[in-house]
Amino acid sequence: MPRPPKGHRFGGSPSHHRRMMSNLATDLIVHERVTTTVARAKVLRPYAEKLITKARKGNLHARRVVLRSITDKAAVAKLFEELAPRYEDRPGGYTRITKLGPRRGDSAEEALIELV
């Protein structure tokens, strides 16, 4: 039986957690910024930064590893062709989290996570 990741799982199964992180990372790559809750942004940051670090290698194996996590081929192409060269000389810290305040409907703390 697979162990769930440490930290927040947001009330779902491990497979739901993986798909949610994949979808958030895809939106972050495509739009370069995502508005979500603070907890989700904090979990998304290391997930997305590891994908960008893998994309910086630029070889076929790295592309296949990233395609395991992100199934949108257009997003993977943007990651490897646009974003990876942008961060080629940066040693990490590709994302920024900015807190926005409470959400109107349920008063959950919202945050903007964006690529630097």
Side-chain angles (χ1 to χ4, degrees), residues 1-50:
M1 179 139 204
R3 286 185 57 208
K6 292 183 180 179
H8 295 284
R9 259 197 311 151
F10 311 113
S13 64
S15 62
H16 178 261
H17 178 82
R18 280 192 298 272
R19 294 311 306 159
M20 185 173 54
M21 287 298 110
S22 172
N23 290 335
L24 281 172
T26 301
D27 288 341
L28 180 64
I29 290 166
V30 171
H31 303 295
E32 298 190 12
R33 59 176 48 197
V34 175
T35 302
T36 183
T37 62
V38 173
R40 287 181 183 169
K42 286 182 177 180
V43 173
L44 176 62
R45 172 184 262 172
Y47 187 87
E49 290 196 0
K50 286 174 187 171

